Amino acid sequence: MSRNKTTPPGLHYRVEPLNHRAHLFAVTLDITRPAKSQKLTLPVWIPGSYLVREFSQHLQHLRAMQGGEALTVKQLDKHRWQVDNDGQRTLSLRWEVYAFDASVRTAFLDATRGFFNATSLCLMVAGREDEPHTLEIAPGDTPAGWQVATGLSPVKANEQGFGTYLAQNYDELADCPVEMGTFWSGEFSACGVPHRFVVSGAGGWFDGQRLLDDTRRICEAQIRFWHGDGQPPYERYVFMLHASGEGYGGLEHRNSTALIAQRTDLPKTRAKDDKPAALKATDGYTTLLGLISHEYFHTWNVKRLRPAEFKRYDYTRENHTELLWFFEGFTSYYDDLFLRRAGLIDDATYLNLVTKTINQVQQSPGQRVQSVAQASFDAWTRYYRVGENTPNATISYYTKGALVAMCLDLTLRAEGRGSLDEVMRALWHRTQGGPMRESDLSTVLRQLGKRSFAAELADWVHGTADLPVLDLLAAAGAKVHRDKAPLAQTLGLRVATDGGALTVKNVLRGGAGEAAGLAAGDEWLGVEFAPAKRGQPPEAWRVRKLDEVAALRGTRSALTALVARDGRLLRCPLTWPADDTAVRLTVDDATRLGHWLTRGTTG
């Protein structure tokens, strides 16, 4: 694993685990030809996760040296520093970073694994962001047997992956996370391109070959979707999955992705005598495959085809765009669709996944308050800052954005004007796989659809009206059912039952719970009913689950909720509402569904 370079880059980082018990990485940076007043900046966010996370809170012991002499490091604000020097000799800096966030967004280090994004560890050198950077990954304080996986190009690395890597600029450095540990590793080729999959935290029962086979099918379907018989815009790709007791999520990168899934969602080794039913993917494994499909689709849709506002990332502040409904929402539409196209799920399973998305949107009062374009712009202050009022104030640009994509796709198909597949590929060619605006989408829709889609975009994207998704699904071969909604939804509540206590998490706008005066954080202790006869005491019962409330109510139309709030006991009179409904989809016409779900998948 080596690549010869004639002129070494003038920016060299060295990252090594300093103390895995204390969760500390040590980082050094050598700057040749530094500015006399050299400024350095640590990013405040990481692309793909739209929240200012203040990574500098974990940086400590920043020191500077030049020619063997210590220099003063002046802090300018929360994430910028300045070092005055002679501007000629190499300027060396060293610092430590506390790393104990197991998410895909930051950095982590303990005795079991290490992981980091450069945005959490590596200071940017002001004025030199577009120059080549080298990153040396040293074993440092690592247990025996650790390896390294990353999408960066190796310059000189050993069999375990420790060594020096090259990034053409800081953006590439920031876009290539690093996984370290005694992980499982496997490889496959998709359309002639090598792919590597590493998994940390898996047990001995893990069926790695099945994960490789299924992931390959997803990758090949997506490469052909975008390029037909052509090649994807990368030379190799790395999946990095951490299997944990809890957790779920992913973060896309230009030629890799970092994933987290529950350990129980991994595929399990099959016995030789397993019957076909035992080989069917579990719900958890299907969810994991959907996550893999989602992050891989981002290779094109957001990492390359991206909002014009992201043409050049500003790592020092929020980067607002109204287009996350397109880049996250449309990706959310295609992620499960590619599981169907790759033959990993059937029509019924796909419609079950669509059902969940529709119900999530319909059961969110925030869809009447905020459009998906507004939700995209406000992601920095709303989507990632979840509170008790979140369902009432905002709508997910993932879920409603996916339904917008579905509505556009089914409308184009119903009108005989192609499909959203063709729209996506036309956008790719129109922008040359680069920045785009909503006007580009409008233009492509007009060209392919032979009419303006301005009204649809105004209503579906910039408005808060209901989407015609159910009518379009019915026309596409799905049967729409209306079932009794879950009890919590009927009452306008979201609850938790941790530790044997029934706790109100959210009170939905306009629901029976709000009318009764229930509030987020209330512990629902019991229910009280008016006496059956005059002069008798009221009937009261302890409850620990919401189902117990319904069982105790029987056919009575009113009750009093007994709750504890801030140490006080309160009575909240609740009038029982009429049952709400939830959507359920089944296959009605398999032939018509097939025209939608499997036709037109290649470029």
Side-chain angles (χ1 to χ4, degrees):
M1 291 169 55
S2 65
R3 180 174 296 185
N4 295 324
K5 296 295 173 184
T6 55
T7 304
L11 303 172
H12 179 75
Y13 299 87
R14 186 176 191 271
V15 173
E16 64 175 322
L18 177 65
N19 185 337
H20 65 261
R21 294 176 180 83
H23 319 295
L24 290 174
F25 281 106
V27 186
T28 59
L29 167 60
D30 292 331
I31 308 171
T32 61
R33 308 179 307 279
K36 287 187 176 182
S37 292
Q38 183 62 66
K39 292 182 175 61
L40 304 116
T41 305
L42 192 67
V44 302
W45 71 289
I46 182 170
S49 183
Y50 307 106
L51 179 68
V52 171
R53 298 186 182 276
E54 311 293 18
F55 299 132
S56 60
Q57 65 182 298
H58 299 303
L59 188 149
Q60 61 191 42
H61 296 315
L62 177 57
R63 303 181 295 277
M65 299 283 292
Q66 190 174 54
E69 298 180 0
L71 301 179
T72 300
V73 178
K74 180 181 180 181
Q75 186 162 1
L76 302 177
D77 55 30
K78 65 180 181 180
H79 67 125
R80 292 190 306 137
W81 294 262
Q82 178 177 307
V83 181
D84 293 334
N85 63 95
D86 64 20
Q88 297 179 5
R89 295 174 293 175
T90 297
L91 175 62
S92 298
L93 298 104
R94 178 182 171 85
W95 61 94
E96 299 167 6
V97 176
Y98 176 74
F100 201 55
D101 181 347
S103 75
V104 296
R105 301 177 295 262
T106 54
F108 181 85
L109 180 65
D110 72 357
T112 64
R113 67 184 284 258
F115 174 84
F116 67 86
N117 292 282
T119 45
S120 292
L121 265 64
C122 297
L123 292 167
M124 293 188 295
V125 181
R128 309 277 293 273
E129 296 89 350
D130 292 330
E131 293 183 21
H133 297 53
T134 51
L135 171 66
E136 180 186 353
I137 305 170
D141 176 42
T142 59
W146 275 33
Q147 306 173 71
V148 170
T150 180
L152 286 168
S153 299
V155 176
K156 185 178 181 180
N158 62 21
E159 291 296 324
Q160 289 71 44
F162 290 102
T164 302
Y165 294 80
L166 175 68
Q168 293 301 324
N169 48 45
Y170 189 86
D171 283 339
E172 183 177 358
L173 181 69
D175 210 16
C176 294
V178 175
E179 177 75 26
M180 309 168 70
T182 54
F183 46 71
W184 176 91
S185 179
E187 298 180 353
F188 63 89
S189 176
C191 298
V193 178
H195 290 63
R196 184 185 186 190
F197 210 128
V198 302
V199 181
S200 63
W205 41 261
F206 163 53
D207 188 349
Q209 189 58 52
R210 183 177 184 182
L211 181 64
L212 292 179
D213 292 342
D214 292 346
T215 302
R216 176 186 53 78
R217 293 166 69 175
I218 293 170
C219 295
E220 289 183 339
Q222 293 193 15
I223 292 171
R224 291 178 179 134
F225 170 88
W226 288 104
H227 306 290
D229 294 330
Q231 292 295 298
Y234 53 84
E235 295 180 355
R236 62 190 182 91
Y237 194 94
V238 183
F239 292 95
M240 291 169 274
L241 169 63
H242 176 54
S244 64
E246 296 181 355
Y248 171 85
L251 191 61
E252 69 277 358
H253 299 280
R254 63 181 63 195
N255 68 339
S256 64
T257 187
L259 309 164
I260 293 178
Q262 293 187 30
R263 195 171 291 114
T264 52
D265 291 343
L266 293 175
K268 296 175 176 58
T269 303
R270 297 164 284 183
K272 292 182 179 180
D273 58 349
D274 273 345
K275 297 180 180 180
L279 306 181
K280 185 177 179 180
T282 63
D283 290 346
Y285 183 47
T286 299
T287 299
L288 171 57
L289 292 177
L291 176 65
I292 291 168
S293 179
H294 183 99
E295 303 304 338
Y296 194 69
F297 196 79
H298 272 318
T299 306
W300 295 268
N301 196 41
V302 89
K303 295 312 299 182
R304 290 171 175 84
L305 185 66
R306 61 192 185 277
E309 295 88 348
F310 292 176
K311 182 177 182 180
R312 184 66 185 265
Y313 295 122
D314 183 347
Y315 295 99
T316 69
R317 58 183 295 277
E318 297 90 341
N319 291 216
H320 291 283
T321 177
E322 287 191 345
L323 285 174
L324 295 182
W325 60 269
F326 179 90
F327 290 99
E328 291 293 354
F330 281 39
T331 300
S332 296
Y333 171 58
Y334 276 108
D335 54 19
D336 290 333
L337 187 55
F338 271 107
L339 300 189
R340 176 64 191 91
R341 290 179 175 181
L344 297 171
I345 59 175
D346 57 19
D347 291 351
T349 302
Y350 176 74
L351 290 179
N352 286 337
L353 296 172
V354 173
T355 296
K356 293 179 182 178
T357 301
I358 292 173
N359 285 324
Q360 285 173 5
V361 172
Q362 291 191 346
Q363 295 167 5
S364 297
Q367 67 167 319
R368 304 296 182 197
V369 176
Q370 192 180 50
S371 69
V372 284
Q374 292 172 320
S376 300
F377 194 87
D378 290 339
W380 299 88
T381 53
R382 295 198 183 192
Y383 184 80
Y384 287 96
R385 299 185 187 276
V386 179
E388 72 282 351
N389 194 48
T390 294
N392 299 318
T394 189
I395 185 66
S396 168
Y397 46 78
Y398 285 87
T399 53
K400 189 172 182 182
L403 297 186
V404 170
M406 181 178 291
C407 287
L408 286 173
D409 194 7
L410 295 181
T411 298
L412 287 165
R413 292 173 184 270
E415 295 179 1
R417 301 296 186 182
S419 67
L420 192 63
D421 295 8
E422 295 167 73
V423 171
M424 299 301 290
R425 290 190 287 267
L427 281 169
W428 178 265
H429 292 297
R430 175 183 175 84
T431 64
Q432 297 183 324
M436 62 163 275
R437 301 182 183 277
E438 187 177 322
S439 59
D440 292 304
L441 174 62
S442 298
T443 298
V444 169
L445 284 170
R446 177 186 285 275
Q447 291 172 343
L448 294 177
K450 307 303 180 184
R451 69 172 179 87
S452 171
F453 279 76
E456 285 85 351
L457 293 177
D459 289 345
W460 303 347
V461 174
H462 297 279
T464 58
D466 288 331
L467 300 175
V469 63
L470 295 180
D471 290 339
L472 289 166
L473 282 166
K479 187 175 183 60
V480 180
H481 306 265
R482 288 285 185 177
D483 295 338
K484 184 177 179 180
L487 177 57
Q489 184 63 33
T490 296
L491 295 177
L493 299 173
R494 294 180 182 175
V495 300
T497 55
D498 298 334
L502 177 60
T503 304
V504 176
K505 292 297 184 183
N506 305 98
V507 179
L508 302 184
R509 187 73 68 242
E514 181 185 62
L518 292 169
D522 286 352
E523 183 182 354
W524 195 337
L525 301 173
V527 292
E528 184 179 80
F529 300 95
K533 295 181 179 180
R534 191 172 182 177
Q536 291 182 344
E539 177 186 345
W541 299 90
R542 180 77 165 93
V543 296
R544 291 180 176 84
K545 297 179 180 179
L546 203 57
D547 288 344
E548 294 175 351
V549 176
L552 291 166
R553 177 186 74 91
T555 60
R556 288 174 282 196
S557 61
L559 59 86
T560 298
L562 308 176
V563 304
R565 182 187 305 164
D566 191 28
R568 302 179 65 182
L569 299 179
L570 302 175
R571 284 182 165 83
C572 298
L574 188 150
T575 300
W576 203 266
D579 287 338
D580 200 357
T581 60
V583 170
R584 179 169 56 88
L585 301 172
T586 59
V587 177
D588 185 33
D589 188 323
T591 301
R592 278 187 290 157
L593 273 177
H595 283 299
W596 164 34
L597 297 180
T598 61
R599 191 177 68 177
T601 61
T602 60

